[in-house]
């Protein structure tokens, strides 16, 4: 009787660990749903928007200029931040404020990326903490998930590419 | 006949994916065997030594000053480096060379660590590329496995003078 219960408990734990590992690897290597908070990526991503992030690009080193990425914060390893890649390693980026009289530029060092939020007036990004190592990138946001209420009786989830229609400011080297 | 083979193939693939995921999570969260190469951690870790690294400390934010850690290289995301933690966030570290007349110090910024190799003369570390974000730490080396005459826990830093007390 006791052996039966013990056996069932172990089997249950075994399945939990098994499917927990598979789910973890799915999030780690394929992608997952992310809820964004904060104003630094407006108007592209608003506060409390739900987006889908894919994690394959960073493993294959396919992150491109203009991608919106989720990055482990360089100042706080427990939190993630969401910014746009403005420059890759070797690119020339503008490090001065628009209000400065003299423009200053620098080159993104090897193995790093330069991140900026779309809402330049309300974003702490590489202009504050400098270039961010590529190894901190967790994933690339590719989809915004819209929830549409139809007839108040059911909720339809619509997947729409929400990021490609925007014009990007890019620097020519 | 064909259905049988197809069924067996899918079941085989299913088991491969399943155990691959479990193995990956074991390496990611528990630890694994690592082969070290390079002279920057001599005499503590020699070239081609085999060590065991555990990955729990970094998830629970228990990395301490003096730990030897494996870190994703800030200059090359495809490779890992192995250094000792000399300073945690807020600590004072010496950024000048021993040969300099004037010593210069700085404080490790929030969310970063200061890494140095034990072989100070032959090590590119935070003295070259600056403090490293904590998020790049992969694991903590706790045990040397090979060579057998050096089996056991790793020694303390031979450069105790690099650890500055506030």
């Amino acid at each position: 009787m006791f052996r039966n219960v013990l056996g069932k408990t172990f089997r249950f734990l075994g399945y939990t660990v098994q499917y927990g590992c598979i789910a973890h690897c799915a999030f780690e290597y394929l992608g997952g749903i992310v809820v964004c908070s904060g104003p630094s990526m407006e108007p592209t991503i608003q506060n409390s928007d739900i987006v889908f992030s894919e994690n394959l690009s960073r493993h294959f080193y396919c992150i491109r200029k203009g991608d919106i990425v989720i990055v482990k914060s360089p100042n706080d390893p427990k939190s993630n931040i969401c910014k746009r890649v403005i420059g890759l390693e070797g690119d020339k980026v503008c490090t001065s404020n628009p209000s400065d009289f003299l423009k200053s530029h620098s080159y993104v060092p090897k193995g790093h990326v330069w991140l900026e939020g779309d809402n330049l007036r309300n974003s702490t990004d590489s202009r504050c903490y400098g270039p961010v190592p590529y190894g901190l990138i967790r994933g690339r946001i590719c989809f915004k998930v819209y929830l549409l209420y139809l007839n108040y009786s059911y909720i339809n989830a619509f997947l729409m590419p929400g990021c490609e229609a925007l014009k990007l400011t890019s620097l020519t080297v």
Side-chain angles (χ1 to χ4, degrees), chain A:
Chain A
M1 171 65 193
F2 179 66
R3 261 195 209 172
N4 220 1
V5 174
L6 203 64
K8 282 190 179 166
T9 316
F10 275 123
R11 225 176 313 157
F12 173 72
L13 284 175
Y15 280 129
T16 313
V17 169
Q18 221 170 35
Y19 292 120
C21 291
I22 294 172
H24 173 269
C25 287
F27 284 126
E28 171 84 13
Y29 286 103
L30 299 178
I33 307 268
V34 177
V35 181
C36 299
S37 66
S40 64
M41 282 299 292
E42 287 174 359
T44 316
I45 300 176
Q46 312 281 342
N47 193 22
S48 309
D49 271 356
I50 303 173
V51 295
F52 181 82
S53 91
E54 57 92 359
N55 299 338
L56 286 170
S57 301
R58 69 136 171 157
H59 283 110
F60 289 112
Y61 303 98
C62 299
I63 301 284
R64 300 267 167 267
K65 206 157 47 172
D67 285 346
I68 302 179
V69 290
I70 296 180
V71 172
K72 214 185 269 192
S73 168
N75 292 339
D76 179 16
K78 297 183 190 177
S79 67
N80 296 322
I81 56 178
C82 169
K83 301 282 179 242
R84 198 183 285 272
V85 175
I86 300 298
L88 298 170
E89 63 182 17
D91 289 348
K92 191 172 167 185
V93 289
C94 181
T95 51
S96 58
N97 286 321
S99 54
D100 289 351
F101 181 63
L102 291 167
K103 303 285 175 203
S104 64
H105 298 104
S106 71
Y107 289 90
V108 181
K110 196 172 178 307
H112 288 68
V113 293
W114 188 269
L115 304 173
E116 282 179 15
D118 284 355
N119 187 2
L120 287 172
R121 293 184 192 184
N122 197 359
S123 164
T124 45
D125 44 40
S126 284
R127 295 169 298 160
C128 302
Y129 42 70
V132 175
Y134 188 101
L136 288 176
I137 294 178
R138 311 281 316 271
R140 185 181 73 95
I141 294 181
C142 49
F143 264 74
K144 201 195 270 200
V145 177
Y146 289 99
L147 295 175
L148 295 177
Y149 291 87
L150 293 180
N151 294 329
Y152 299 102
S153 54
Y154 59 93
I155 299 173
N156 227 341
F158 235 76
L159 294 172
M160 281 182 64
C163 316
E164 290 134 29
L166 288 147
K167 245 189 275 185
L168 306 167
T169 50
S170 60
L171 289 163
T172 49
V173 177

